[in-house]
Amino acid sequence: MRLIQFIDAAGRRRVGMPAADGRRIDVVRGVSSTYELAMAAIGARRTLAAEIAARGRDPADESYPDLLAGLRVLVPLDHEDPAHCLVTGTGLTHLGSAATRDKMHTDQSAVETMTDSMRMFRWGLEGGQPRRGTPGTQPEWFYKGDGGIVVPPGHPIPYPDFAEDAGEEPEIAGLYVIGDDGLPYRLGFALGNEFSDHVMERRNYLYLAHSKLRFCSFGPELRVGEMPRDIRGTSRIRRDGKILWEKPFHSGEGNMSHTLENLEYHHFKYMQFLRPGSVHVHFFGTATLSFADGIQTRPGDEFEIHAPEFGAPLRNPTRQEPAAPYMPGNTVPL
């Protein structure tokens, strides 16, 4: 089962279920957001599927392609107050991700036995898949921002004028809400473009935190249920309507050095991430980057991330925009 959020012809928010043909949509009755649907399901102690069945659904008046073309499809989970949505992620979690990171971080003129990236990756190989119910090795972890840095499908992903790069990261994101009982509830998964500044990160690994403070996108669909073990998708960049770069990406636990359970544990073990009512979007990492192949994007380039199990592809152009109106010395003393 897959869910979307969209704006209907009357300007109302709706929750929809795309049909297998990729055109028709059913509208879930009585809710205006996936968040509202999830909290109702938690309160009733039933699954999302059972909650939808109890509410019923009706055929939409518009087609899914028309909604996408009209830029009226939203991300599949959000919070009405962006401050109550946290966007985070993990890295070096996929087989092959260390080689990609090493390609970025290794100074070819230096003599090194092992980079920090390779060292952390090996820790994951050795301890990232513990037996069920047991904590394993901590992954790399990073913070991207709150819900204000999330861009809907089809809309441009902006990057500040001080950025040195604007690069895609094709990933799977886990979507969660925290129930009133303080427990994380996983709604499912979505395609994501985690989007980072890889030139800044390559300058020094300690700049990783800065490089991740960028906008991102995910969706357009929420896949309810378990994450497929073997996800095989394609990441593309189009420039002036033509494919500039294209490469397959793999995800799912069959292609990862960490289990999903271990990644979730090392995020939600922190009490500040268990505030009732909050939303979490957590990216699980990738081993595929156009930057590692020498691609430098330009404003207007379009990213496309597609995996058949997740329905419609995630597409976003990119654009450069002025940074926040802050300069050295602009802090106002009170």
Side-chain angles (χ1 to χ4, degrees), residues 111-127:
V111 178
E112 294 186 75
T113 57
M114 187 183 298
T115 64
D116 285 341
S117 295
M118 184 61 75
R119 186 174 293 110
M120 178 166 280
F121 176 72
R122 290 191 176 181
W123 289 345
L125 284 177
E126 295 165 1

Side-chain angles (χ1 to χ4, degrees), residues 144 149-160 166-169 192-196 214-218 283 297-305 314-321:
K144 284 193 70 67
I149 57 99
V150 174
V151 175
H155 291 252
I157 299 179
Y159 62 96
E168 89 299 332
E169 295 207 10
N193 186 347
E194 194 251 296
F195 199 72
S196 299
R214 297 292 184 269
F215 283 77
C216 64
S217 187
F218 62 94
F283 288 96
T297 62
R298 301 174 185 169
D301 287 352
E302 182 185 67
F303 303 110
E304 179 184 295
I305 299 169
L314 173 64
R315 295 189 179 104
N316 297 92
T318 185
R319 71 160 187 257
Q320 188 179 63
E321 64 176 20

Side-chain angles (χ1 to χ4, degrees), residues 4-26:
I4 64 169
Q5 294 190 117
F6 68 97
I7 304 297
D8 69 13
R12 298 169 297 189
R13 285 179 57 119
R14 295 297 186 111
V15 176
M17 296 179 62
D21 64 5
R23 294 194 60 82
R24 294 177 293 111
I25 296 176
D26 283 345

